[in-house]
């Protein structure tokens, strides 16, 4: 007889292994989405720093640039508009932070994202 005592073992093995395969599949998709959200937030923070560090830039140049960047990037980063991108400027440095959350393939689970960029303010100095 073909198969003998092992007849029907393949479906049982598949039923045992399939949940593990699905968990690994969804986890890898979630990790990829989280990395895209981090990249989106970092790109917006760097754009904000580049706008805010310009010589005599208006106080809201950085947050406005980050907002434009985030609106154009699609929905990879959610919740970034509450409270919105924040830039702190001193006499020599600019620091911009973007916060939000990545999309989630797992219902009711949030994955927070925070990215910060730094830069020096353009200014006149003496040699």
């Amino acid at each position: 007889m073909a198969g003998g005592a092992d007849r029907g073992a393949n479906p049982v093995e598949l039923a045992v292994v399939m949940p593990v395969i699905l968990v690994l599949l969804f986890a890898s998709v979630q990790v990829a989405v989280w990395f895209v959200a981090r990249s989106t937030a970092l790109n917006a923070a760097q754009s904000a720093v580049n706008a805010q560090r310009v010589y005599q830039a208006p106080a809201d140049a950085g947050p406005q640039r980050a907002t434009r960047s985030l609106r154009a990037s699609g929905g990879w980063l959610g919740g970034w508009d509450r409270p919105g991108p924040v830039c702190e400027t001193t006499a020599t440095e600019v620091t911009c932070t973007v916060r939000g959350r990545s999309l989630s393939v797992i219902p009711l689970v949030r994955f927070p994202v925070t990215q910060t960029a730094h830069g020096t303010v353009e200014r006149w100095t003496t040699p």
Side-chain angles (χ1 to χ4, degrees), residues 55-98:
Y55 182 67
Q56 294 183 340
D60 62 344
Q64 283 182 358
R65 175 79 59 87
T67 299
R68 278 198 316 262
S69 175
L70 289 165
R71 284 189 179 140
S73 69
W76 290 106
L77 185 68
W80 60 265
D81 52 344
R82 293 176 304 271
V86 176
C87 289
E88 297 175 9
T89 307
T90 66
T92 58
E93 273 191 12
V94 174
T95 302
C96 294
T97 302
V98 175

Side-chain angles (χ1 to χ4, degrees), residues 4 7 14 17 19 40 45 69 76 104 109 120 124:
R7 186 171 180 193
L14 185 62
V17 173
T40 301
S69 175
W76 290 106
S104 177
V109 178
T120 56
W124 290 104

Side-chain angles (χ1 to χ4, degrees), residues 42-59:
L42 183 58
N43 184 39
Q46 289 172 337
S47 295
V49 166
N50 288 338
Q52 194 67 49
R53 66 185 293 271
V54 173
Y55 182 67
Q56 294 183 340

